[in-house]
């Protein structure tokens, strides 16, 4: 049937995907193009030529249309979701003035705008001075203004990657409101740019003129230009519908539209999210992010370098599995479940704290990763299982924090992201949380979330609730094992939860002595 397909464009950190969904949320075709996540011209920097993302979008769509049954003429609308907090500065024509600064970048602005005595006093009184300072030094615009003033002086718009790609697609400086996650002057409570007089305008070098217009999820951003349509192999004039950032779309695509549903993302950054209409700061001074549902927020707790730890393990300890996987033509991760099949819950006491990268708050920037409980029985397989258990412990702690602040219990779990394809990780999660853990019916949850917004924007469904009811279903379910759960409860409460506070003084000493991580 013509015009019965939705094209979701998902631009991640390591790959770009073109996904073709129908109105029931079934994935009909998929094409993926790997990209280099970033280059580091200076240690700690992470940059990428924006053209890499645009070129990969064209290649992904070309590969999509080469598949049987994937017809460009069937597409009724397009939606875009991208990685968060990657910055592109452009001239008045939308041409990048330098490489994009990727979200993993560690640079810090050497000087920042002064806040003035009144704001400084108010922040000190509220105990927020360090938080505001961290916001300022990590703001990409502040770094550019201080270190690349010639570029900043020529900047017409300071966009997130989603905004730059949207301009390439429809020719307008407009972006999805639900994509505004980063060190930018965004009013998270209003899901809009701040009003005049807001402290965020003083904290950054950005002015209102630097920012794009915003559209709520499901609103029309514009129409594909002739140039963009030719690049993607589509007809010019197709509607481009606002969606949201990849995590927001993932929550929506997993069916997370109520506070009772917790959505775990087993991605590079592991997260636990809920969706609610009430503004709630689960962590003090850390705002909830805009949801891919109009008028809603995602209460997110992050574990930096979450399932990146699986990649770390693969590089450092899994040479044998990499060799076997290459011979068998499969991913090395597919062998890891076999490797840990006989290891009992709790890893015979080996317990991992997954703080390979600290945060501004909880844990603090001094935090380090830790593994305790080693004995002569432990092998690298135990280390891998301890990684999965440690991540699940950390996400459970995030879930409990959300429940304490919201006073709403999370009664079901949906698990998405690359790590969710591991049956062992799913079963460990169910056992540690004591709740049934379900995969969404399709692996590409963030793409499905974007497609849901396209379906609402095209009028196929009256609202997001109706679209989710029609387009999202549970996939494989993993029931908690009571015996394993009892072991995990005891280890979680008596060991894991005590680790950070007991080790924190040592982490602070390490930071003082070695200078890592830098202040």
């Amino acid at each position: 049937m013509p015009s019965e397909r939705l094209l979701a464009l998902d631009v991640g950190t390591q790959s770009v995907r073109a996904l073709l969904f129908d109105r029931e949320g079934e994935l009909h075709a998929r094409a993926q193009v790997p990209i280099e996540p970033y280059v580091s011209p200076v240690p700690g920097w992470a940059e990428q030529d924006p053209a890499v993302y645009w070129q990969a979008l064209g290649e992904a769509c070309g590969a999509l249309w080469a598949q049987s049954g994937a017809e460009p003429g069937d597409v009724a609308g397009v939606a875009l979701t991208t990685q968060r907090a990657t910055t592109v500065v452009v001239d008045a024509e939308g041409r990048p003035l330098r490489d994009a600064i990727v979200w993993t970048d560690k640079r810090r602005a050497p000087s920042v705008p002064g806040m003035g005595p009144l704001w400084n006093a108010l922040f000190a009184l509220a105990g927020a001075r360090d938080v505001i300072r961290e916001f300022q030094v990590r703001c990409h615009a502040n770094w550019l203004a201080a270190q690349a003033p010639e570029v900043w002086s020529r900047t017409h718009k300071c966009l997130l990657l989603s905004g730059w790609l949207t301009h390439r697609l429809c020719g307008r400086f407009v972006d999805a409101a639900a994509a505004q996650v980063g060190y930018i002057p965004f009013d998270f409570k209003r899901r809009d740019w701040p009003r005049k007089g807001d402290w965020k305008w003083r904290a950054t070098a950005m002015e209102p003129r630097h920012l794009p217009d915003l559209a709520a999820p499901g609103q029309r951003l514009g129409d594909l230009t002739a140039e963009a349509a030719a690049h993607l192999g589509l007809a010019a004039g197709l509607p481009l519908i606002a969606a949201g950032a990849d995590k927001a779309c993932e929550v929506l695509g997993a069916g997370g539209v109520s506070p009772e549903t917790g959505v775990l993302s087993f991605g590079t950054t592991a997260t636990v999210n809920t969706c609610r209409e009430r503004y709630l700061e689960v962590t003090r001074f850390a705002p909830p992010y805009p949801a891919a549902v109009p008028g809603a927020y995602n209460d997110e707790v992050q574990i930096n370098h979450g399932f990146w730890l699986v990649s770390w393990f693969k590089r450092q300890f899994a040479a044998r599995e990499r060799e076997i996987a290459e011979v068998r033509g499969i991913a090395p991760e597919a062998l890891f479940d076999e490797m840990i099949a006989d290891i009992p819950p709790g890893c015979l006491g080996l317990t991992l704290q997954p703080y390979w990268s600290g945060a501004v708050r909880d844990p603090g920037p001094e935090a380090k990763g830790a593994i305790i409980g080693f004995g002569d029985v432990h092998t690298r397989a135990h280390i891998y299982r301890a990684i999965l258990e440690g991540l699940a412990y950390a996400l459970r702690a995030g879930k409990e924090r959300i429940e304490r602040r919201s006073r709403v219990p999370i009664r079901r779990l949906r698990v998405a992201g690359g790590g969710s394809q591991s049956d062992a990780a799913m079963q460990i999660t169910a056992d540690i949380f004591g709740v049934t853990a379900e995969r969404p019916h399709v692996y590409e949850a963030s793409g499905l979330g974007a497609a849901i917004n396209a379906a609402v924007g095209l009028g196929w469904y009256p609202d997001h609730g109706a679209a989710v009811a029609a387009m999202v279903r549970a996939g494989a379910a993993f029931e908690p094992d009571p015996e394993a759960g009892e072991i995990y409860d005891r280890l979680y409460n008596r060991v894991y939860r005590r680790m950070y506070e007991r080790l924190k003084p040592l982490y602070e000493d390490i930071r003082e002595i070695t200078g890592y991580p830098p202040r």
Side-chain angles (χ1 to χ4, degrees):
M1 186 180 296
S3 301
E4 284 290 310
R5 297 289 185 261
L6 304 165
L7 176 63
L9 303 174
D10 188 346
V11 181
T13 305
Q14 302 185 69
S15 69
V16 171
R17 295 182 290 281
L19 309 161
L20 203 59
F21 291 94
D22 65 18
R23 64 171 62 233
E24 283 77 43
E26 293 298 333
L27 181 62
H28 284 262
R30 172 185 184 275
Q32 182 173 5
V33 174
I35 58 174
E36 188 70 26
Y38 56 83
V39 295
S40 297
V42 174
W45 290 18
E47 298 188 348
Q48 184 56 275
D49 181 351
V52 168
Y53 304 113
W54 182 245
Q55 182 64 30
L57 273 179
E59 292 176 8
C61 286
L64 190 74
W65 310 133
Q67 298 177 28
S68 175
E71 297 294 337
D74 293 344
V75 175
V78 181
L80 170 73
T81 183
T82 75
Q83 57 182 272
R84 305 185 297 193
T86 290
T87 302
V88 184
V89 291
V90 302
D91 64 15
E93 302 302 318
R95 294 183 292 256
L97 298 173
R98 69 179 314 280
D99 284 350
I101 303 178
V102 181
W103 65 273
T104 53
D105 192 275
K106 300 298 184 186
R107 77 188 72 189
R108 300 167 71 83
S111 61
V112 297
M115 295 299 297
L118 178 59
W119 280 115
N120 286 335
L122 290 173
F123 292 142
L125 187 64
R129 186 165 50 191
D130 291 344
V131 174
I132 303 304
R133 176 71 180 181
E134 188 70 13
F135 169 84
Q136 289 188 284
V137 298
R138 295 187 67 176
C139 173
H140 296 161
N142 286 347
W143 184 90
L144 288 166
Q147 297 294 93
E150 72 290 348
V151 171
W152 187 246
S153 67
R154 293 187 290 124
T155 295
H156 177 67
K157 296 292 182 184
C158 183
L159 305 170
L160 296 180
L161 178 61
S162 53
W164 181 72
L165 289 172
T166 295
H167 182 267
R168 290 298 308 259
L169 291 168
C170 71
R172 298 181 60 217
F173 287 118
V174 61
D175 198 5
Q180 305 311 302
V181 177
Y183 295 97
I184 55 176
F186 186 70
D187 186 332
F188 288 93
K189 191 167 188 177
R190 296 173 53 246
R191 298 175 298 275
D192 202 350
W193 303 123
R195 294 189 176 99
K196 184 178 180 180
D198 191 292
W199 65 267
K200 297 182 187 70
W201 294 122
R202 300 194 63 150
T204 78
M206 301 171 75
E207 302 174 18
R209 64 182 177 86
H210 288 123
L211 300 167
D213 295 333
L214 296 178
Q219 288 186 347
R220 194 165 181 150
L221 292 164
D223 301 329
L224 290 188
T225 66
E227 178 188 358
H231 186 66
L232 302 183
L234 292 168
L238 279 175
L240 178 65
I241 308 298
D246 53 3
K247 293 291 186 185
C249 285
E250 189 174 60
V251 173
L252 177 62
V257 291
S258 73
E260 293 82 12
T261 299
V263 177
L264 307 183
S265 177
F266 286 0
T268 302
T269 296
T271 59
V272 53
N273 266 290
T274 59
C275 181
R276 74 184 72 246
E277 295 182 358
R278 179 168 68 96
Y279 180 91
L280 176 70
E281 293 185 2
V282 173
T283 301
R284 193 180 182 210
F285 304 130
Y289 295 143
V293 177
Y297 307 92
N298 288 150
D299 306 311
E300 180 171 300
V301 177
Q302 300 180 1
I303 311 300
N304 292 336
H305 282 62
F307 273 76
W308 170 90
L309 283 172
V310 173
S311 299
W312 172 81
F313 176 86
K314 180 172 64 175
R315 291 192 305 272
Q316 303 299 330
F317 301 106
R320 179 171 176 270
E321 282 70 28
R322 294 202 305 271
E323 292 174 359
I324 295 172
E326 185 174 357
V327 171
R328 291 170 57 178
I330 60 175
E333 290 84 348
L335 302 175
F336 292 170
D337 283 7
E338 300 174 15
M339 185 172 68
I340 65 173
D342 296 328
I343 296 176
C347 290
L348 300 174
L350 196 66
T351 305
L352 179 141
Q353 181 178 266
Y355 295 162
W356 262 241
S357 174
V360 182
R361 299 170 298 279
D362 198 20
E366 81 293 329
K368 295 276 194 290
I371 311 176
I372 64 171
F374 272 109
D376 57 8
V377 297
H378 291 119
T379 66
R380 63 195 179 92
H382 289 84
I383 295 175
Y384 180 70
R385 186 177 180 103
I387 288 173
L388 299 182
E389 292 178 349
L391 288 168
Y393 286 146
L395 290 168
R396 173 175 165 175
K399 165 188 172 286
E400 292 175 354
R401 190 192 312 167
I402 293 173
E403 290 175 324
R404 284 194 303 271
R405 291 286 292 124
S406 67
R407 300 183 181 179
V408 177
I410 294 173
R411 302 186 184 281
R412 69 171 184 171
L413 295 179
R414 289 282 174 87
V415 187
S420 69
Q421 299 309 292
S422 163
D423 285 356
M426 292 293 294
Q427 188 60 56
I428 287 169
T429 299
D431 293 342
I432 286 178
F433 279 73
V435 178
T436 301
E438 301 171 332
R439 294 186 182 119
H441 76 282
V442 294
Y443 166 70
E444 299 286 359
S446 58
L448 178 56
I452 289 169
N453 273 290
V456 174
L458 293 171
W460 290 5
Y461 299 100
D463 54 43
H464 285 69
V468 168
M471 298 177 71
V472 180
R473 294 168 291 285
F478 295 78
E479 300 294 334
D481 180 325
E483 292 186 8
E486 182 180 356
I487 293 171
Y488 283 131
D489 271 346
R490 294 166 68 188
L491 286 169
Y492 172 72
N493 286 300
R494 293 169 57 184
V495 180
Y496 179 83
R497 289 182 62 187
R498 299 180 180 182
M499 284 178 67
Y500 177 60
E501 287 305 320
R502 294 194 176 191
L503 292 173
K504 183 178 178 180
L506 299 181
Y507 294 155
E508 290 172 340
D509 286 345
I510 291 171
R511 190 183 194 192
E512 180 184 347
I513 295 167
T514 68
Y516 178 80
R519 295 185 182 275

